[in-house]
CSV table of all heavy atoms in Angstrom, one decimal:
chain,number,residue,atom,x,y,z
A,1,GLU,N,162.3,114.8,184.6
A,1,GLU,CA,162.9,115.8,183.7
A,1,GLU,C,163.7,115.1,182.6
A,1,GLU,O,163.7,115.5,181.5
A,1,GLU,CB,163.8,116.7,184.5
A,1,GLU,CG,163.1,117.7,185.3
A,1,GLU,CD,164.0,118.6,186.2
A,1,GLU,OE1,165.2,118.4,186.1
A,1,GLU,OE2,163.5,119.5,186.9
A,2,VAL,N,164.4,114.0,182.9
A,2,VAL,CA,165.2,113.3,181.9
A,2,VAL,C,164.3,112.5,181.0
A,2,VAL,O,163.5,111.7,181.5
A,2,VAL,CB,166.2,112.4,182.6
A,2,VAL,CG1,167.0,111.7,181.5
A,2,VAL,CG2,167.1,113.1,183.6
A,3,LYS,N,164.4,112.8,179.7
A,3,LYS,CA,163.6,112.1,178.8
A,3,LYS,C,164.2,110.7,178.4
A,3,LYS,O,165.3,110.7,177.8
A,3,LYS,CB,163.4,112.9,177.5
A,3,LYS,CG,162.5,114.2,177.7
A,3,LYS,CD,162.3,114.9,176.5
A,3,LYS,CE,161.5,116.2,176.7
A,3,LYS,NZ,161.2,117.0,175.5
A,4,VAL,N,163.6,109.7,178.8
A,4,VAL,CA,164.1,108.3,178.5
A,4,VAL,C,163.1,107.5,177.8
A,4,VAL,O,161.9,107.9,177.8
A,4,VAL,CB,164.6,107.6,179.7
A,4,VAL,CG1,165.7,108.3,180.4
A,4,VAL,CG2,163.4,107.4,180.7
A,5,TYR,N,163.5,106.5,177.1
A,5,TYR,CA,162.5,105.6,176.4
A,5,TYR,C,162.0,104.6,177.5
A,5,TYR,O,162.7,103.7,177.9
A,5,TYR,CB,163.2,104.9,175.3
A,5,TYR,CG,162.3,103.9,174.6
A,5,TYR,CD1,161.3,104.4,173.7
A,5,TYR,CD2,162.4,102.6,174.8
A,5,TYR,CE1,160.5,103.6,173.0
A,5,TYR,CE2,161.5,101.7,174.1
A,5,TYR,CZ,160.6,102.2,173.2
A,5,TYR,OH,159.7,101.4,172.6
A,6,TRP,N,160.8,104.8,177.9
A,6,TRP,CA,160.3,103.9,179.0
A,6,TRP,C,159.9,102.6,178.4
A,6,TRP,O,159.1,102.5,177.4
A,6,TRP,CB,159.0,104.5,179.6
A,6,TRP,CG,159.3,105.8,180.3
A,6,TRP,CD1,159.0,107.1,179.9
A,6,TRP,CD2,159.9,105.9,181.6
A,6,TRP,NE1,159.4,108.0,180.8
A,6,TRP,CE2,159.9,107.3,181.9
A,6,TRP,CE3,160.4,105.0,182.5
A,6,TRP,CZ2,160.4,107.8,183.1
A,6,TRP,CZ3,160.9,105.5,183.7
A,6,TRP,CH2,160.9,106.9,184.0
A,7,PRO,N,160.4,101.5,179.0
A,7,PRO,CA,160.0,100.1,178.5
A,7,PRO,C,158.5,99.9,178.8
A,7,PRO,O,158.0,100.5,179.7
A,7,PRO,CB,160.9,99.2,179.3
A,7,PRO,CG,162.0,100.0,179.8
A,7,PRO,CD,161.4,101.4,180.0
A,8,GLN,N,157.9,99.0,178.1
A,8,GLN,CA,156.5,98.7,178.3
A,8,GLN,C,156.3,97.9,179.6
A,8,GLN,O,157.2,97.1,179.9
A,8,GLN,CB,156.0,97.9,177.1
A,8,GLN,CG,154.8,97.0,177.4
A,8,GLN,CD,155.0,95.6,176.9
A,8,GLN,OE1,155.5,95.4,175.9
A,8,GLN,NE2,154.6,94.7,177.8
A,9,GLN,N,155.2,98.2,180.3
A,9,GLN,CA,154.9,97.4,181.4
A,9,GLN,C,153.6,96.7,181.3
A,9,GLN,O,152.7,97.2,180.6
A,9,GLN,CB,154.9,98.3,182.7
A,9,GLN,CG,156.2,98.7,183.2
A,9,GLN,CD,156.2,99.3,184.6
A,9,GLN,OE1,156.2,100.5,184.7
A,9,GLN,NE2,156.2,98.5,185.6
A,10,THR,N,153.5,95.5,181.8
A,10,THR,CA,152.4,94.6,181.6
A,10,THR,C,151.5,94.6,182.9
A,10,THR,O,152.0,94.4,184.0
A,10,THR,CB,152.8,93.2,181.3
A,10,THR,OG1,153.6,93.2,180.1
A,10,THR,CG2,151.6,92.3,181.0
A,11,LEU,N,150.2,94.7,182.7
A,11,LEU,CA,149.3,94.7,183.8
A,11,LEU,C,148.2,93.6,183.6
A,11,LEU,O,147.7,93.5,182.5
A,11,LEU,CB,148.5,96.1,184.0
A,11,LEU,CG,149.3,97.3,184.5
A,11,LEU,CD1,150.4,97.7,183.5
A,11,LEU,CD2,148.4,98.4,184.8
A,12,LYS,N,148.0,92.9,184.6
A,12,LYS,CA,147.0,91.8,184.5
A,12,LYS,C,145.6,92.4,184.9
A,12,LYS,O,145.5,93.1,185.9
A,12,LYS,CB,147.3,90.6,185.4
A,12,LYS,CG,146.4,89.4,185.3
A,12,LYS,CD,146.9,88.3,186.1
A,12,LYS,CE,146.0,87.0,185.9
A,12,LYS,NZ,146.5,85.9,186.8
A,13,VAL,N,144.6,92.0,184.2
A,13,VAL,CA,143.2,92.6,184.4
A,13,VAL,C,142.2,91.5,184.5
A,13,VAL,O,142.2,90.5,183.7
A,13,VAL,CB,142.8,93.5,183.3
A,13,VAL,CG1,141.5,94.2,183.5
A,13,VAL,CG2,143.9,94.6,183.1
A,14,THR,N,141.2,91.6,185.4
A,14,THR,CA,140.1,90.7,185.5
A,14,THR,C,138.8,91.5,185.7
A,14,THR,O,138.8,92.7,185.7
A,14,THR,CB,140.3,89.7,186.8
A,14,THR,OG1,140.3,90.5,188.0
A,14,THR,CG2,141.6,88.9,186.7
A,15,GLY,N,137.7,90.7,185.9
A,15,GLY,CA,136.5,91.4,186.2
A,15,GLY,C,135.5,91.6,185.1
A,15,GLY,O,134.4,92.0,185.3
A,16,TYR,N,135.9,91.3,183.9
A,16,TYR,CA,135.1,91.5,182.7
A,16,TYR,C,134.2,90.2,182.4
A,16,TYR,O,134.4,89.2,183.0
A,16,TYR,CB,135.9,91.8,181.5
A,16,TYR,CG,137.1,90.9,181.3
A,16,TYR,CD1,137.0,89.6,180.7
A,16,TYR,CD2,138.3,91.2,181.9
A,16,TYR,CE1,138.1,88.8,180.7
A,16,TYR,CE2,139.4,90.4,181.9
A,16,TYR,CZ,139.3,89.1,181.2
A,16,TYR,OH,140.4,88.3,181.2
A,17,ASP,N,133.3,90.3,181.4
A,17,ASP,CA,132.5,89.2,181.1
A,17,ASP,C,133.3,88.2,180.2
A,17,ASP,O,133.6,88.5,179.0
A,17,ASP,CB,131.3,89.7,180.3
A,17,ASP,CG,130.3,88.6,179.9
A,17,ASP,OD1,130.6,87.5,180.2
A,17,ASP,OD2,129.2,89.0,179.3
A,18,THR,N,133.6,87.1,180.7
A,18,THR,CA,134.5,86.1,180.0
A,18,THR,C,133.7,85.4,178.9
A,18,THR,O,134.3,84.7,178.1
A,18,THR,CB,135.0,85.0,180.9
A,18,THR,OG1,133.9,84.4,181.6
A,18,THR,CG2,136.0,85.7,182.0
A,19,SER,N,132.4,85.6,178.8
A,19,SER,CA,131.6,85.0,177.7
A,19,SER,C,131.7,85.8,176.4
A,19,SER,O,131.4,85.4,175.3
A,19,SER,CB,130.2,84.9,178.1
A,19,SER,OG,129.6,86.2,178.2
A,20,LEU,N,132.3,87.0,176.5
A,20,LEU,CA,132.4,87.9,175.3
A,20,LEU,C,133.5,87.4,174.4
A,20,LEU,O,134.5,86.7,174.9
A,20,LEU,CB,132.8,89.3,175.7
A,20,LEU,CG,131.7,90.1,176.5
A,20,LEU,CD1,132.3,91.5,177.0
A,20,LEU,CD2,130.5,90.4,175.6
A,21,PRO,N,133.5,87.6,173.1
A,21,PRO,CA,134.5,87.2,172.2
A,21,PRO,C,135.8,87.9,172.6
A,21,PRO,O,135.8,89.0,173.1
A,21,PRO,CB,134.1,87.7,170.8
A,21,PRO,CG,132.6,87.8,171.0
A,21,PRO,CD,132.3,88.2,172.4
A,22,VAL,N,137.0,87.2,172.4
A,22,VAL,CA,138.3,87.7,172.8
A,22,VAL,C,138.5,89.0,172.2
A,22,VAL,O,139.0,90.0,172.8
A,22,VAL,CB,139.4,86.7,172.4
A,22,VAL,CG1,140.7,87.3,172.5
A,22,VAL,CG2,139.3,85.4,173.3
A,23,GLU,N,138.2,89.2,170.9
A,23,GLU,CA,138.5,90.4,170.2
A,23,GLU,C,137.7,91.6,170.8
A,23,GLU,O,138.3,92.7,170.9
A,23,GLU,CB,138.0,90.3,168.7
A,23,GLU,CG,138.9,89.3,167.9
A,23,GLU,CD,138.4,87.9,168.1
A,23,GLU,OE1,137.4,87.7,168.8
A,23,GLU,OE2,139.1,87.0,167.6
A,24,ASP,N,136.5,91.4,171.3
A,24,ASP,CA,135.7,92.4,171.9
A,24,ASP,C,136.3,92.9,173.2
A,24,ASP,O,136.4,94.1,173.5
A,24,ASP,CB,134.3,92.0,172.1
A,24,ASP,CG,133.5,91.8,170.8
A,24,ASP,OD1,134.0,92.2,169.8
A,24,ASP,OD2,132.4,91.2,170.8
A,25,ILE,N,136.8,91.9,174.0
A,25,ILE,CA,137.4,92.2,175.3
A,25,ILE,C,138.7,93.0,175.1
A,25,ILE,O,138.9,94.0,175.8
A,25,ILE,CB,137.8,90.9,176.1
A,25,ILE,CG1,136.5,90.1,176.4
A,25,ILE,CG2,138.5,91.3,177.3
A,25,ILE,CD1,136.8,88.8,177.0
A,26,GLU,N,139.5,92.7,174.1
A,26,GLU,CA,140.7,93.4,173.8
A,26,GLU,C,140.4,94.9,173.4
A,26,GLU,O,141.0,95.8,173.9
A,26,GLU,CB,141.5,92.7,172.7
A,26,GLU,CG,142.1,91.5,173.1
A,26,GLU,CD,142.9,90.8,172.0
A,26,GLU,OE1,142.7,91.1,170.8
A,26,GLU,OE2,143.7,89.9,172.3
């Protein structure tokens, strides 16, 4: 109920094709 400014949270992700260009993965 209380509206607050939620800080950003960081999540680590794996499982994708690492041969793809970095920009494409992002």
